[in-house]
Amino acid sequence: MWLSCFVPEPAGGSWSWWGLASAHPVASRTSASGIPASKLVEAHGSFASATCTVCRRSFPGEDFRADVMADRVPCCPVCTGVVKPDIVFFGEPLPARFLLHVADFSLADLLLILGTSLEVEPFASLSEAVPKSVPRLLINRDLVGPFAYSPRSTDVAQLGDVVQSVERLVDLLGWTQELQDLIQRETGKLDGQDR
Ligand SMILES: [Zn+2]
């Protein structure tokens, strides 16, 4: 399951994606999707980096990929302490980046929500964090969360197969060729990885 909120800012034309991934392969695909890291808030952390639990040094996650795939506990090359991927485990606080960017929602022009049950907090409440005048588009298999129990007059729900719905949106935007190019380019990054 993953949830993404597309939050364009009103003046500067910049935007951010909020990503929630509870399945690790989805998390790695999020980072391989071509979205610049500066535009992405991975609310459950990321495998892109790892931190030593003893000396707190930070390392690229790729350094320990072979250990993880071989079921070996990654060890710090400096102090031999256990190295943990920068994923938020149960009971751990959310990343500071999450709290920093919650403020973006009040500035949004549009909120896109895709592929989610909208049941896990605090992420589910983010759908209510945009002003009531801001359109919310839900692309999902089913009607969920506030789209079901307290819809707004500006809500739009595109229900059914999520991939087909995204392809339809992309087509309406005239981005089909750009998407195909992106998929072709980024698929190469997943080759040789755990898919
Ligand atoms: Zn260390």
Side-chain angles (χ1 to χ4, degrees):
M1 181 190 75
W2 65 288
L3 174 150
S4 290
C5 307
F6 176 64
V7 188
E9 294 171 7
S14 62
W15 49 273
S16 59
W17 279 93
W18 282 65
L20 163 65
S22 59
H24 296 165
V26 177
S28 59
R29 284 175 193 169
T30 304
S31 61
S33 64
I35 300 171
S38 63
K39 300 293 186 187
L40 186 65
V41 181
E42 294 187 274
H44 273 174
S46 165
F47 277 96
S49 59
T51 302
C52 173
T53 56
V54 178
C55 73
R56 307 306 300 170
R57 282 182 174 83
S58 182
F59 302 95
E62 193 58 32
D63 288 6
F64 305 100
R65 180 176 180 78
D67 286 330
V68 171
M69 298 310 289
D71 276 342
R72 290 190 299 265
V73 176
C75 291
C76 175
V78 179
C79 78
T80 72
V82 172
V83 174
K84 176 185 160 302
D86 292 338
I87 294 289
V88 177
F89 290 160
F90 183 76
E92 293 183 330
L94 294 168
R97 186 168 167 76
F98 177 93
L99 301 173
L100 182 69
H101 284 282
V102 162
D104 294 353
F105 285 82
S106 64
L107 304 172
D109 292 319
L110 171 69
L111 183 65
L112 291 185
I113 302 173
L114 297 90
T116 175
S117 64
L118 278 185
E119 287 181 351
V120 179
E121 292 292 354
F123 314 103
S125 298
L126 294 178
S127 62
E128 301 278 46
V130 292
K132 286 197 162 36
S133 59
V134 173
R136 303 184 302 183
L137 170 58
L138 174 71
I139 297 178
N140 210 35
R141 189 182 60 191
D142 304 306
L143 205 58
V144 291
F147 287 84
Y149 61 74
S150 61
R152 300 176 179 178
S153 61
T154 49
D155 284 349
V156 176
Q158 171 67 38
L159 305 181
D161 185 278
V162 171
V163 172
Q164 288 178 5
S165 297
V166 170
E167 287 173 346
R168 182 165 174 241
L169 174 63
V170 167
D171 185 46
L172 288 169
L173 291 166
W175 293 351
T176 300
Q177 185 60 50
E178 191 178 336
L179 178 65
Q180 288 172 351
D181 293 345
L182 177 72
I183 290 171
Q184 191 169 23
R185 188 169 66 246
E186 299 297 330
T187 298
K189 295 182 181 177
L190 291 173
D191 287 347
Q193 296 184 14
D194 179 23
R195 303 177 71 176

